[in-house]
Amino acid sequence: VQLQASGGGLVQPGGSLRLSCAASGSIVTVWRMSWYRQAPGKQREAVAHIVRFGGTNYADSVKGRFTISRDSAKNTVYLRMDRLKPKDTAVYYCNADITDTARNRDDWWGQGTLVTVSS
């Protein structure tokens, strides 16, 4: 299983970005897909989660500004980020809880994508 994230970049405060993360490989079931972020000098923190049947959960710091969604047919998760603030600057990582064809259920991480919010 592999997770491939994309969509980071430089954006001005108040702007928007959309991150994407596609899971590929010998996948049977995707139980949950999530976004985490790690700012310089800080610990990695959870940003948003979406579970198999569509329920979502957000960190308080991003509620009302970020939206997580998914395309189940493509095993892809998106993070729409609006009204971005400088404090949103971080490396964003996707994460997924997946059962593969060998019936192994595991936690997978994608490579990070850098989001920089600056004028």
Side-chain angles (χ1 to χ4, degrees), residues 33-55:
M33 297 189 84
S34 304
W35 288 97
Y36 286 74
R37 68 185 180 185
Q38 187 166 18
K42 295 188 176 181
Q43 290 188 331
R44 190 174 297 188
E45 63 175 355
V47 175
H49 309 285
I50 185 165
V51 296
R52 184 183 180 196
F53 297 109

Side-chain angles (χ1 to χ4, degrees), residues 4-15:
Q4 181 68 44
S6 61
L10 173 64
V11 63
Q12 292 187 342

Side-chain angles (χ1 to χ4, degrees), residues 25-71:
S26 303
I27 296 169
V28 173
T29 305
V30 178
W31 299 102
R32 171 192 49 77
M33 297 189 84
S34 304
W35 288 97
Y36 286 74
R37 68 185 180 185
Q38 187 166 18
K42 295 188 176 181
Q43 290 188 331
R44 190 174 297 188
E45 63 175 355
V47 175
H49 309 285
I50 185 165
V51 296
R52 184 183 180 196
F53 297 109
T56 60
N57 186 263
Y58 297 91
D60 287 343
S61 59
V62 307
K63 281 181 181 177
R65 300 189 297 121
F66 290 11
T67 303
I68 190 169
S69 62
R70 64 176 182 178
D71 183 333

Side-chain angles (χ1 to χ4, degrees):
V1 175
Q2 291 184 327
L3 299 182
Q4 181 68 44
S6 61
L10 173 64
V11 63
Q12 292 187 342
S16 298
L17 276 178
R18 190 180 81 154
L19 306 182
S20 301
C21 177
S24 62
S26 303
I27 296 169
V28 173
T29 305
V30 178
W31 299 102
R32 171 192 49 77
M33 297 189 84
S34 304
W35 288 97
Y36 286 74
R37 68 185 180 185
Q38 187 166 18
K42 295 188 176 181
Q43 290 188 331
R44 190 174 297 188
E45 63 175 355
V47 175
H49 309 285
I50 185 165
V51 296
R52 184 183 180 196
F53 297 109
T56 60
N57 186 263
Y58 297 91
D60 287 343
S61 59
V62 307
K63 281 181 181 177
R65 300 189 297 121
F66 290 11
T67 303
I68 190 169
S69 62
R70 64 176 182 178
D71 183 333
S72 297
K74 297 180 179 179
N75 289 328
T76 298
V77 65
Y78 306 97
L79 186 68
R80 171 74 180 187
M81 304 183 292
D82 296 315
R83 292 183 281 139
L84 281 160
K85 304 175 181 180
K87 66 180 181 179
D88 295 317
T89 295
V91 178
Y92 284 71
Y93 298 89
C94 63
N95 169 269
D97 177 5
I98 292 173
T99 296
D100 64 19
T101 53
R103 300 299 185 203
N104 296 314
R105 181 170 177 174
D106 210 342
D107 214 42
W108 298 88
W109 289 91
Q111 90 290 1
T113 185
L114 177 62
V115 172
T116 303
V117 184
S118 176
S119 54

